Amino acid sequence: MTGGPVTAPAATGRGLDGATARRRFVTVSFLFWLPIGMSIATGVLLFTERGMGLAAIAGCYAVHSLTAAAMELPTGGLSDVIGRRPVLAVAGLLNLTAFTLIGLGATAWAIALGMGLMGLARALSSGPAEAWYVDTVHAHAGPDADLRTGLARGSSATSAALALGTLLGGGLPWLLGFAPGVGEWLGDMTAGLVIPLSVPALLGALVEVVFVLYVLSSLPEPPRPPTTPRRVMGQVPVAIAAGLRLGARDALIRRILLTASAAGAALAAVELLTPGRAAALMGSAESGALAFAGLACAGFLCSALGSQLAPLVARFTGSGERAVLASLGLVTLGLTLLGLTAHSMSPLATALAVTGFGLVYLGLGAAGPNENDLLHRRVDASGRATALSVQSLSLQLVAAGAGLAAGILPPGPLPWLLAATAVLAGALLWVRRAAPTDVPPSVVGPARRGQDKPLRGDASAPEPVTVPTTAGPAGHLHDTEPEETHLHARPT
């Protein structure tokens, strides 16, 4: 049955102080996204070498996004019941299988299956690590503890992992191309399953083993009441319904969800169209993978810089809301530059396109921590997982549709400018500051009422809301755990 509003247990990370929790959160973020970064530079080009066209490749990405979207809320409910550590470990095992299929798959169905498994892993992993960190900090320093710094470092660690992974993933096929006969030897030894462009994905599968072992050994959480598969399945719909109600009843959360949708459109265009532009500029798939690796590495470093600058942007603009507005303005400008230079390969056009690429990631990096800080202060620990699951769901759904549209539309400025328009619409949502929402007493956690203070200079931040939780066996109440969403973290 559904219990009344409660505050989730705070002692998620018993025995760990804030600094230790932050280091482990950063490490988990880095290890999870490193193998995904290793597959970014070669993803589209690998699929092309396997004989797939751009529309088919967009379809595979849609499989990833739609799977993640369909499973986002159900898996969020699952993690509320069985715990965040096992869910993260399962996500790592699914990614291990996905990278193996992508690296060895010579048919479209095998690649699509790998992308689907990666989407399921994305849904499972979209928040338990951040949940563990936020609740541990609250348990150690109270609900008024600073979250933005830790969230920014976690986002920076993700960006650094993606940057390093992309550089490694793009450089490996290029280096293997220099060794005489290595590519032919790999193909002969594996009946054509392994080619230089597939090596980064296979190496990423090995990194996933390290990730799973670290999660199981370094993320302690309190024991949960015993449950059964029947109870788990019965509680998941409750979490889904609670998540869908969040955006409907709260204007600030609705803005955050729509902004995540706009970010999904931007990422779909950048990730699908940029590798082909790099290959056309360089003249071959391997050289294009190396060029795109360097470009993506620079983009993720820009994202890491933006994440580190997020607190400064909020102070400079006067509030977290205005910081999101300014950050999305940079993303819009970057996409516009990419669109205006789509038909030219002149040095000036290339320089403007590279600048635009960097602005997209700089803006997304600065927007993410400020959005999530607003979100964490709007919902308490019992509703954080559901809110972040819906946020990730919004990004994945729009990313799937935008990716399909970008694959179908004729090459040129149009796909880029449509994505820029979507981000501009998301930015305009933040022109006016959100008025405080009158939350009914039935959804405000009494133990938290008035404890989550507005950000400095952010007078419009309303009280946190609590999502009704589901009663477990023996009267125990399971908290709805927070989940993380990185707006630049849709793997390619």
Side-chain angles (χ1 to χ4, degrees), residues 418-447:
L418 286 177
T421 302
V423 176
L424 177 60
L428 293 177
L429 295 172
W430 299 91
V431 171
R432 295 182 59 186
R433 301 186 69 185
T437 302
D438 293 327
V439 183
S442 61
V443 296
V444 178

Side-chain angles (χ1 to χ4, degrees), residues 349-443:
T350 301
L352 289 175
V354 170
T355 301
F357 188 90
L359 289 177
V360 169
Y361 280 90
L362 181 68
L364 290 176
N370 284 303
E371 289 177 37
N372 279 19
D373 184 81
L374 289 169
L375 184 64
H376 285 309
R377 293 178 185 275
R378 185 67 188 106
V379 297
D380 69 6
S382 67
R384 211 169 277 130
T386 306
L388 282 164
S389 289
V390 177
Q391 184 187 22
S392 182
L393 173 66
S394 301
L395 186 148
Q396 297 292 346
L397 278 177
V398 175
L404 287 173
I408 295 172
L409 289 172
L414 185 58
W416 297 104
L417 296 180
L418 286 177
T421 302
V423 176
L424 177 60
L428 293 177
L429 295 172
W430 299 91
V431 171
R432 295 182 59 186
R433 301 186 69 185
T437 302
D438 293 327
V439 183
S442 61
V443 296

Side-chain angles (χ1 to χ4, degrees), residues 125-435:
S125 67
S126 66
E130 185 173 321
W132 182 85
Y133 168 70
V134 172
D135 283 352
T136 301
V137 171
H138 281 173
H140 180 73
D144 293 329
D146 172 63
L147 296 177
R148 186 182 281 145
T149 300
L151 294 175
R153 290 189 182 181
S155 184
S156 296
T158 295
S159 299
L162 290 168
L164 177 61
T166 302
L167 198 59
L168 290 173
L172 280 174
W174 182 75
L175 290 174
L176 291 174
F178 270 104
V182 170
E184 292 79 3
W185 178 78
L186 287 174
D188 293 339
M189 292 294 294
T190 60
L193 293 179
V194 177
I195 60 176
L197 286 172
S198 65
V199 170
L202 298 176
L203 186 59
L206 296 179
V207 178
E208 290 293 348
V209 176
V210 179
F211 168 78
V212 172
L213 294 176
Y214 187 83
V215 165
L216 293 176
S217 63
S218 301
L219 298 186
E221 57 181 345
R224 293 178 175 271
T227 188
T228 64
R230 183 176 179 181
R231 287 197 181 102
V232 170
M233 296 306 297
Q235 292 164 5
V236 166
V238 177
I240 295 175
L244 296 177
R245 288 194 299 267
L246 276 175
R249 75 184 181 211
D250 189 284
L252 180 61
I253 293 178
R254 190 158 55 246
R255 287 188 184 188
I256 294 172
L257 298 182
L258 291 172
T259 302
S261 300
L267 289 170
V270 169
E271 294 173 357
L272 183 66
L273 301 175
T274 307
R277 288 180 67 167
L281 181 66
M282 300 302 295
S284 69
E286 286 77 10
S287 297
L290 180 63
F292 179 65
L295 182 62
C297 178
F300 291 131
L301 290 177
C302 287
S303 182
L305 176 62
S307 297
Q308 291 287 8
L309 293 177
L312 179 62
V313 175
R315 288 195 295 269
F316 180 77
T317 58
S319 71
E321 295 181 31
R322 294 194 184 100
V324 175
L325 172 61
S327 301
L328 294 181
L330 284 181
V331 178
T332 304
L333 176 59
L335 290 170
T336 302
L337 289 176
L338 285 164
L340 295 178
T341 58
H343 278 321
S344 176
M345 294 185 184
S346 68
L348 177 60
T350 301
L352 289 175
V354 170
T355 301
F357 188 90
L359 289 177
V360 169
Y361 280 90
L362 181 68
L364 290 176
N370 284 303
E371 289 177 37
N372 279 19
D373 184 81
L374 289 169
L375 184 64
H376 285 309
R377 293 178 185 275
R378 185 67 188 106
V379 297
D380 69 6
S382 67
R384 211 169 277 130
T386 306
L388 282 164
S389 289
V390 177
Q391 184 187 22
S392 182
L393 173 66
S394 301
L395 186 148
Q396 297 292 346
L397 278 177
V398 175
L404 287 173
I408 295 172
L409 289 172
L414 185 58
W416 297 104
L417 296 180
L418 286 177
T421 302
V423 176
L424 177 60
L428 293 177
L429 295 172
W430 299 91
V431 171
R432 295 182 59 186
R433 301 186 69 185

